[in-house]
Structure formats: structure tokens, C-alpha cells
Amino acid sequence: MIATRLRQIGLLLISMAISALAFIQMFERTTNSIPSNYLVILCVAAALFLVLWALTVRFQPYASQAIIPCVLLLTGIGVTMIARIDQSMSTRVAQRQLMWLCIALVLSALIIVFLKDYRVLRRFSYVSMVVGLVLLLSPMLPVLGQEVNGARIWVKVPGLGQFQPGEFAKLFLAFFFAAYLFDHRDQLAVGGKKVLGLQLPRIKDLGPIIVVWVASMGVLVMQHDLGTSLMFFAMFVAMLYAATGRKSWIVIGLLAFAVGAVAAASVFSHVGQRVDAWLHPFSDEQYNMQYGGSWQLVTGIFGLASGGMVGTGLGQGHPALTTFANSDFIYTALGEELGLAGVLAILMLYLIIIASGFIAAMKIKDGFGKLLASGLVFTMAFQVFTVVGGVTLVIPLTGLTLPYMAAGGSSLIANYVLAALLIVISDAANQPEPELTSESFQYEALAVLRDKELEERARATEPIVRQSPSSGSTSSFEEIVDTTRHAPDSFGAAAEYTAPTGTLPPVPPTPQVPQVPQVPPIPPAHGHHSASNHHGPRHGGARA
């Protein structure tokens, strides 16, 4: 156990060392010194990471220890790049990001300490649904809602600033989806007609996916947010497939979202502009458009291409040339200064977190935990895919942020809460089986033996069917013998049967019928008949 803990703390310290080395190297190349205002908050963040690891070992001892080091390394690289962009643009986004990081670490520690059993979340399924929908629709309020860059996804709280409630809505909706699908998985798994070799669901079971499709399209229409609506719908379809195992749900989900996306692209201009910029990014018309267009996308691609295989080095590139390089396009900024090798290493860190979550989902025996873990992990994986795919021309831009790396307190706190939930679920999945000498195991074993004994007693009191002995008869007759009354003994007396152990009595042997002595033949009468007229065989005897 000590060797295991040393390896775990070693991973955490290595992640801290890599992050500190990148931070120091970047500032030495840009300002030749480390600003003093970063030292204090960096030390506080490092101390909170150590406290978080210690609390995980204490309260979640069987949790996956690969999640915290990977999250730390991703956050450290992201804060380093944000601070690098601050040097070029004379901003202070990195300091605010470190403050949000400390708050996220405190919330994660509280979840790890007090959320001992994640199944308590199932009790508040409909409360989670209401909270999630309120958070999702809160940007539409006339006073609190704020529209930024054409998307109405922000809520401004007086005195606290603005935040993006959709990041927290995905957590509460994941709680509700997991509880709902766990309770109705049998009805949803029933198949209907088979079309082209695909087992389609029943018409009455299409209600949930229709409701979620309408809600996601409503978010797209009212808030002009393609990324949130896409993530919201994809999370539900993925959890629906995990609950039922039917590929037809995926096909129906893809077709439904394709129809909605085509309709949105033709009706709403901002969606159509993103699609046109994705299809024709290097055309003069799209590149020189005053609003929308592909200028930001092409600039990010040029920065990503200039990094080459190993990058220009931290502090030696020009990532600030791309608009929103510290949030939406932080992946291209990292690709410019870290190169292809650096961004592939970043994707590998995400892959380790995602794999840890899916392993926990496969190992845990609780159905609600399986759905919750798979839904949370898929949400993170889908968010990484949409961001990386959007800036590399694989799919259109969605406006989502890269988890743990992009600037923004809402995204950072929500994803740290997601990581804390994965830690709690992985602890439940990795707990060993109870030992044979433990009191709980002995109690369960005695309960099983007691149930087995009761079943045997019930079976012993049931009537049994046996063949009745019948001498001299070839036909088989059956009689029902009630073993609860009397069992005949070999002498024909009635002996009462008692079964203290619940075993059936042995069937007594059939009594032997005594042999009847053979009667000697009657001698013939003396008359006028001659002896030759009598036939011995006919009368069955010999002559006198």
C-alpha cells in the first residue's frame, strides 16, 4: 500500500513540476523574470492540489489516481498559455483563472469528502431536471441574460460578474437522464418493427427523444448557441444507447439532429455562416466578410501550421493574432508554441481521463452509476471533439470551450465538479469484495443459508408423485403420496414422518407376498372306466 501511495503522489508531483517548468520558461523568455503577483496564488493552488489528493486518499481510497494528475497538468498548461497571451495583450485573464481554479478545487474537495455515496443523486432526479432547465433557459431572462458575440448564453449577476449557466446545466441534466433511463430502460429496450435489418423502437417510446430534440432545437433558436444544443442532445442519445444497447437510437438521434441542423442552417443566418465558413474557409468572400466569415478560423489554422512538429517554443510564437486565442482557440495557440507533439500529448491526457471514467462505468455494478459515469465522460469527450474538430476544419465551429484549459470560470468549475464525481464513482467501482472473515460477509452468508433451508423445507412439504406397487400387473398406475402425514413402514403400520432437516424420507421397500403352496392333484375315482380312457395331462395328475 505504501508503494502504491508513493507512486500516486509521484505522479502528482511530476505534474506539478512540468507545469512549474513551463510557467517559469514562458516568463523567462517574455519578461526575463516571474511577476510576484503570480507566485502567491500559484503556491496556494499547488497547496490545494496536495490537500485534494490527501482528501481523496482519506475519503475515497479506491478511486482512480490518474484523474487528478492529468487534470492538474491540463490546467497548468492552459494557465501558462493564457498568461502568455496576457503578456502580448496587456490583460490579466490568467490571474482570474487562477482564482477560479482555487474555488474549483475547494468545491471538488467538498464533493469528495461529503458525497460518500453517489446514489443519493438518484433521489433528486426531478429536482435536477428542474434546476437544469432553469439554468439552461436563464439567459433568456430580460434583465439577467446577456448576449455576447451573437449568442445569448451568459447571465450577469450584479457584483459577481457574468457566468455561463449551460456548463452547470449539463451536470444536472446528466443526473436526471441517468435516473430516468435507469428507471425506464426496460420499456425503452423493447423493439418494434425491423427496417433494413435495424430494430426500431416502438412509436410510444419515441417520446423522450422527441422532447429532448425539441428542447435542444429551442436552445438553438432562442439562444443562437449551436454548441450547447449539440452537446445537450448528444449526451442524451449516448446515455440512451448505454441504457438500452440498441443501435437504432443512435441512428434515430443522428437523423433527427441532421434534420434540425439543416433546418437551422437555412433559417438562422449565424448557423449558416458557420457552415459556409467551414465549407469554404479560404475563399475571398468568406475571409473578407465584416461579420462572421472565416478570418478567425483561417488565422488559427495558420498559427497551428506554423508550429510544425515541435513548435516555436513557449513565449516565442504569436498566438495573440487569433481572436479569442485564450478561450475558443486555445488549442491552436498551444499548437503554435508546442507543435504537433505537444497537442498530441494534450489529447493523450484527455484520453487517460476519459478511459478512467469508462473503466469505472464498466466495473461498477450499479446501473445508475454506469449511466451517470458514461454520460459525464461522454460529455467531456464530445466537448473535446467538437472544439478540436472545429478549429481543425473537421466540423463547423460550435463555440464550446476546451475543458480545464480554456479561459472562463464557469467551464473550469463545472469540469472540476465533473472530475470529482468521476473520482467518487471510480472509488465505488474499485472497492474490493468483502473478505470471508468480515462480519458483513458472514451475515450475508447466514442469510443465504437460511433462505436455502426455507426453500428445502417448502419443497419437502409439497406432494410427490411415485409409482404404486402393483404385483402381477404390467400397467403403471401413479398415486400421490402426501409425505406430511404418514409414511408406511414395511409392516403396514402408520409411522409418523418428521423432517427436521427438510430431507425427504426414503421410500420403504415393497413387502414380499408369501408363496401359496401348490395343491396336490385329486386322485381319479374307481369306476367302470378303464385306465386307458383317462388322460393324465388333461386332469393334471398321474394314475392311481
Side-chain angles (χ1 to χ4, degrees), residues 303-348:
L304 187 64
S306 63
M309 184 62 67
V310 294
T312 60
L314 284 173
Q316 296 182 347
H318 303 280
L321 294 177
T322 306
T323 310
F324 299 109
N326 57 5
S327 58
D328 295 353
F329 280 79
I330 193 170
Y331 189 79
T332 60
L334 292 167
E336 180 180 356
E337 298 197 346
L338 298 180
L340 179 62
V343 293
L344 289 180
I346 291 172
L347 292 180
M348 185 60 65

Side-chain angles (χ1 to χ4, degrees), residues 15 175 184 237 265 304 310 452 528 534:
S15 301
F175 302 156
H184 299 83
V237 173
L304 187 64
V310 294
K452 186 68 175 179
H528 60 277
H534 295 279

